Amino acid sequence: MTLPAGQPTFDRVVTRLGEPLEAALDRALTGYAEILPQAALLLDASSSGVMWFDDGVPTHATHTGTGATGTDVLAELAATGPFRVRLVSLSADNLHHARPDEATLPPDAPAKRLAGDESLARRTRKRAGTESDGSTDGGLDAVEAFLEDDEKIRAIRDRARAEAKRRAEEWGFDDLNASSEQTGSSESEERDQDEPSRM
């Protein structure tokens, strides 16, 4: 997925996503946040979460690596961190042409699920014009169900491990790992041989 060019307004590594979410709201951002998790940072990979904003309110979310959309993106990001986050401002026309229509999410779900910040969630609901505290119940149920699904969580971790292994092989780290494992095995055998002499 190619993200549209725009005006960057925020670009830093954060341990929690409350800071960029609050910055987007305070700046009434119309555009998107590109969220690159720790694993991708370490592996120099391009897989990232993308959250789309209209006047500071998150409206859509996509994932460039897994193809997840909406609240499923929040579930995938919730288990990772820290993150490198870029906020990019777009014109309203560019935003509406770029964001995928099927990837909607409740406006306050990111503040609740990714930042755990009810105050920010309340401010977001107010900006979005959704007054009810229960406005995201359906979306949150979907996220919670995802997080409780061990099989899906394992699948995410397996994809991350596979990507890490592929990168390590590209960089020649597989030989180093094999050497380390062999050294560790030898040391373990030596300890096992020494133990009877101490009894």
Side-chain angles (χ1 to χ4, degrees):
M1 178 181 183
T2 302
L3 295 173
Q7 179 62 46
T9 64
F10 180 105
D11 189 348
R12 68 187 66 167
V13 175
V14 299
T15 56
R16 294 179 60 83
L17 291 171
E19 181 182 358
L21 289 172
E22 188 168 9
L25 185 63
D26 290 343
R27 300 173 189 183
L29 176 71
T30 293
Y32 64 88
E34 183 181 20
I35 305 167
L36 196 65
Q38 179 185 34
L41 285 172
L42 295 174
L43 298 171
D44 193 26
S46 58
S47 177
S48 60
V50 182
M51 200 175 301
W52 305 84
F53 293 82
D54 193 348
D55 193 30
V57 177
T59 59
H60 298 68
T62 55
H63 197 286
T64 62
T66 64
T69 61
T71 53
D72 284 349
V73 177
L74 305 186
E76 296 208 8
L77 292 174
T80 59
F83 312 86
R84 180 176 181 180
V85 181
R86 285 196 319 132
L87 298 182
V88 178
S89 177
L90 300 173
S91 68
D93 284 344
N94 284 344
L95 172 69
H96 294 146
H97 280 96
R99 73 184 179 191
D101 293 336
E102 71 280 4
T104 58
L105 80 167
D108 59 352
K112 283 189 170 185
R113 301 307 303 176
L114 299 180
D117 189 335
E118 179 55 40
S119 174
L120 180 59
R122 190 162 47 248
R123 289 177 57 206
T124 305
R125 286 195 298 270
K126 184 176 180 181
R127 176 73 62 83
T130 55
E131 303 267 330
S132 172
D133 285 343
S135 61
T136 67
D137 285 349
L140 290 180
D141 287 345
V143 176
E144 288 165 357
F146 185 100
L147 291 174
E148 290 172 0
D149 190 327
D150 291 339
E151 185 174 342
K152 287 185 178 180
I153 296 298
R154 280 196 299 272
I156 293 171
R157 289 173 178 161
D158 288 345
R159 283 198 299 268
R161 289 192 190 102
E163 178 67 13
K165 182 178 179 182
R166 185 178 69 80
R167 292 279 178 167
E169 289 173 351
E170 286 179 3
W171 296 343
F173 289 165
D174 52 334
D175 295 335
L176 180 62
N177 288 339
S179 175
S180 298
E181 289 174 2
Q182 192 171 29
T183 301
S185 176
S186 298
E187 290 175 350
S188 177
E189 289 174 0
E190 288 176 3
R191 283 196 301 270
D192 290 343
Q193 291 172 358
D194 288 344
E195 281 179 0
S197 65
R198 294 194 298 266
M199 292 177 64

